[in-house]
């Protein structure tokens, strides 16, 4: 009898693991009368069966299916998110930083190059602002190996150099007095008064420009169309980057990047060195001076094992392929693919519970530079992860605890990670004729 049946509610929950505690990123499907959820493409057969049996309406998953068209659409949705964060940083912080304005310019240049809708006037203005900031007078101070070499040549006694040697690091002092105050605590007021001028002269760093990483981002994010308008500025940026190279061929990390989860100082500076040589080689013709600098860098990093982060693994892969180490590049590519998580993405370090858009974008960037695109199953899995994880505002909510050693009050990783996700997807798009 019909009246003997109890009311039935169909409640199907299918969850996929994502690496974020934020409830917005706990993807679940709850199919009940009156709702029409988005269904990931891999679950279409199951949801069609449920729809047939229950009469529940199910929306097609065109926006999360890993196709070139949907990848392009995801990047297009991300641009306002990146622009909002980047322009706010320009207005409020008034500096490029290594995670804000340069990535605003880079992501939009990449988008324009791939035919996405970009406001060219705004992009030109952002580029001009970013280059002007990088080339403005921002001389900082700090103790490096070359600082002590200069002091020794200037006649500073070994007893004083011995006191300064333990202070050699990537620490910067933004004003002369801050540097001198720090030196006084180590060598005393009497020695400071005697050697003040030589100390300050030897410790003056190249015009900061945001440091090597920021300068590199400007060079890598440059598009050919900017050659006529900003050619001299980019040449000056590369010259400044080359000034930052240490005598041993490496570049040292600056700014807030030391706060990331590196295995140590060696990996941290190795990453900056690899980025720097890629930025310098991508920007302008390779003259003799640059080739000598490149050879010093390659000698300093002769066959090192990548550190723990996804970034250094990706960088070693890119550099090995770019500079003709085919066998090593093939091995590193295999290592990169082995680190792809079951959800399709990558995490900053292996110990992280899941994936994030920041590391996934970097992995896609490396794969794109090795010739892989959306026709590759690994790339499509990464696309699907990003398409499912993208927020309604166009951004990706990257948690800083997976990347940063010391949590900051201002979490910059949603903007930074969103820019990397956009750049990575654009670099793995197949030829524009394929949609």
């Amino acid at each position: 009898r019909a009246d003997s049946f109890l009311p039935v509610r169909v409640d199907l929950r299918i969850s996929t693991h994502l690496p974020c505690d934020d409830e917005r990123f706990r993807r679940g499907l709850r199919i009940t009368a009156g709702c029409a959820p988005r269904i990931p493409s891999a679950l279409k057969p199951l949801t069609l069966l449920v729809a047939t049996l229950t009469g529940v309406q199910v929306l097609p998953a065109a926006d999360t299916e890993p196709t070139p068209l949907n990848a392009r659409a995801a990047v297009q949705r991300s641009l306002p998110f990146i622009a909002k964060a980047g322009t706010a940083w320009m207005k409020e912080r008034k500096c490029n930083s290594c995670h804000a304005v340069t990535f605003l310019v880079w992501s939009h240049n990449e988008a324009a190059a791939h035919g996405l809708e970009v406001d060219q006037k705004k992009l030109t203005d952002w580029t001009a602002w970013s280059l002007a900031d990088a080339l403005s007078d921002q001389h900082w101070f700090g103790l490096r190996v070359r600082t002590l070499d200069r002091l020794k040549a200037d006649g500073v006694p070994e007893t004083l150099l011995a006191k300064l040697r333990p202070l050699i690091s990537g620490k910067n002092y933004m004003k002369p007095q801050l540097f001198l105050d720090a030196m006084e605590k180590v060598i005393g007021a009497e020695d400071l008064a005697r050697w003040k001028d030589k100390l300050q002269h030897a410790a003056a760093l190249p015009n900061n420009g945001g440091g090597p990483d920021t300068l590199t981002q400007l060079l890598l994010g440059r598009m050919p169309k900017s050659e006529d308008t900003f050619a001299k500025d980019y040449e000056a940026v590369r010259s400044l980057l080359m000034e930052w190279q240490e005598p041993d061929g490496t570049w040292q990390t600056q700014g807030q990047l030391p706060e990331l989860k590196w295995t140590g100082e060696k990996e941290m500076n190795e990453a900056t060195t690899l980025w720097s040589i890629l930025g310098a080689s991508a920007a302008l013709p390779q003259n003799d001076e640059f080739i000598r600098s490149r050879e010093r860098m390659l000698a300093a990093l002769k066959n090192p094992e990548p550190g723990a982060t996804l970034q250094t693994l990706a960088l070693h892969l890119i550099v090995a392929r770019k500079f003709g180490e085919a066998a090593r590049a093939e091995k590193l590519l295999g290592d990169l693919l082995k680190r792809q998580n079951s959800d399709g993405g990558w995490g900053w370090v292996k110990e992280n519970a899941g994936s994030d858009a920041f590391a996934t974008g970097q992995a896609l960037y490396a794969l794109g530079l090795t010739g892989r695109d959306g026709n590759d199953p690994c790339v499509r899995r990464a696309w699907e992860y990003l398409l499912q994880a993208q927020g309604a505002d166009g951004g990706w909510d990257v948690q800083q605890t997976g990347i940063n050693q010391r949590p900051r009050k201002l979490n910059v990783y949603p903007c930074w990670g969103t820019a990397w996700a956009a750049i990575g997807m654009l670099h793995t798009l197949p030829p524009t004729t394929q949609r």
Side-chain angles (χ1 to χ4, degrees):
R1 292 170 44 195
D3 59 359
S4 67
F5 290 95
L6 295 174
V8 176
R9 180 183 183 184
V10 178
D11 189 349
L12 172 64
R13 181 174 290 273
I14 305 168
S15 297
T16 56
H17 175 73
L18 286 176
C20 180
D21 291 332
D22 191 325
E23 277 301 315
R24 289 177 297 170
F25 278 71
R26 293 188 179 279
R27 297 291 183 183
L29 306 179
R30 190 174 180 84
I31 302 179
T32 57
C35 80
R38 294 176 177 176
I39 310 299
S41 58
L43 302 177
K44 278 184 177 180
L46 179 58
T47 54
L48 288 175
L49 174 62
V50 172
T52 301
L53 294 175
T54 65
V56 175
Q57 179 190 8
V58 179
L59 288 179
D63 57 334
T64 60
E65 187 174 354
T67 66
L69 182 62
N70 290 333
R72 290 170 62 87
V75 175
Q76 188 72 66
R77 289 194 300 273
S78 76
L79 296 181
F81 181 92
I82 299 169
K84 181 179 179 181
T87 53
W89 193 273
M90 292 166 63
K91 181 179 179 181
E92 297 166 12
R93 306 283 175 150
K94 297 179 173 56
C95 72
N96 269 314
S97 190
C98 57
H99 53 72
V101 183
T102 49
F103 276 92
L104 165 68
V105 174
W106 188 354
S107 59
H108 281 71
N109 271 330
E110 293 280 5
H114 285 83
L116 273 65
E117 185 179 342
V118 171
D119 188 322
Q120 287 294 339
K121 183 182 183 306
K122 287 183 178 179
L123 178 53
T124 299
D125 291 343
W126 297 336
T127 303
W129 189 97
S130 188
L131 288 166
D133 181 72
L135 297 173
S136 61
D137 188 6
Q138 303 176 57
H139 284 87
W140 294 355
F141 300 84
L143 290 183
R144 305 290 191 269
V145 172
R146 60 185 172 190
T147 309
L148 268 63
D149 291 341
R150 292 171 184 167
L151 290 172
K152 185 176 181 179
D154 285 342
V156 175
E158 181 58 37
T159 53
L160 188 60
L161 296 177
K163 294 180 181 179
L164 295 173
R165 198 164 283 117
L167 301 181
I168 294 175
S169 69
K171 181 174 177 59
N172 295 331
Y173 299 88
M174 299 178 67
K175 295 181 179 180
Q177 194 57 51
L178 293 175
F179 170 73
L180 295 173
D181 290 345
M183 295 304 101
E184 183 177 1
K185 293 178 181 178
V186 177
I187 65 176
E190 184 178 343
D191 277 335
L192 178 64
R194 180 179 180 185
W195 299 104
K196 174 182 175 182
D197 291 342
K198 289 187 177 181
L199 264 173
Q200 190 168 327
H201 176 74
L205 299 171
N207 186 23
N208 182 260
D213 291 274
T214 299
L215 298 170
T216 292
Q217 291 153 14
L218 275 171
L219 295 171
L220 289 174
R222 178 194 188 190
M223 289 292 108
K225 71 179 70 174
S226 63
E227 289 178 357
D228 292 336
T229 306
F230 298 113
K232 290 184 178 179
D233 296 296
Y234 279 111
E235 185 175 349
V237 166
R238 188 172 83 153
S239 295
L240 180 54
L241 175 62
M242 301 312 292
E243 287 183 42
W244 276 99
Q245 190 176 27
E246 298 293 327
D248 65 358
T250 64
W251 280 262
Q252 291 192 355
T253 305
Q254 307 294 320
Q256 299 174 29
L257 288 170
E259 296 179 359
L260 274 60
K261 287 184 176 179
W262 310 105
T263 52
E265 188 174 297
K266 179 179 180 295
E267 181 188 8
M268 175 184 73
N269 290 327
E270 189 176 290
T272 295
T273 297
L274 293 166
W275 277 126
S276 296
I277 204 66
L278 288 172
S281 61
L284 295 165
Q286 300 183 17
N287 56 30
D288 291 342
E289 181 182 358
F290 167 75
I291 292 173
R292 287 194 296 271
S293 296
R294 184 189 68 193
E295 294 306 315
R296 295 203 334 264
M297 182 280 294
L298 294 174
L301 299 178
K302 191 65 176 176
N303 295 323
E305 287 297 318
T309 68
L310 184 283
Q311 182 176 124
T312 51
L313 175 56
L315 282 167
H316 277 288
L317 167 58
I318 296 168
V319 168
R321 187 177 186 278
K322 184 176 183 63
F323 296 114
E325 298 181 76
R328 186 164 187 265
E330 192 63 26
K331 178 187 178 300
L332 292 168
L333 175 60
D335 293 342
L336 180 69
L337 295 177
K338 287 176 186 175
R339 282 184 60 164
Q340 188 171 23
N341 294 324
S342 59
D343 60 14
W346 281 263
W348 176 254
V349 291
K350 291 180 180 178
E351 291 75 20
N352 286 356
S355 304
D356 61 75
F358 186 95
T360 302
Q362 291 188 333
L364 286 174
Y365 177 72
L367 290 174
L369 291 176
T370 63
R372 298 207 172 199
D373 60 25
N375 294 309
D376 184 287
C378 294
V379 170
R380 284 185 176 265
R381 287 177 57 211
W383 282 3
E384 186 164 22
Y385 162 73
L386 290 172
L387 290 167
Q388 291 181 14
Q390 188 176 26
D393 58 3
W396 280 269
D397 192 7
V398 180
Q399 298 297 298
Q400 63 174 321
T401 52
I403 303 172
N404 224 42
Q405 296 184 59
R406 181 171 61 86
R408 303 172 56 182
K409 291 182 180 179
L410 176 62
N411 181 11
V412 300
Y413 290 96
C415 175
W416 203 357
T418 296
W420 266 123
I423 292 167
M425 283 196 286
L426 290 169
H427 267 266
T428 48
L429 285 173
T432 54
T433 52
Q434 300 183 35
R435 292 288 188 268

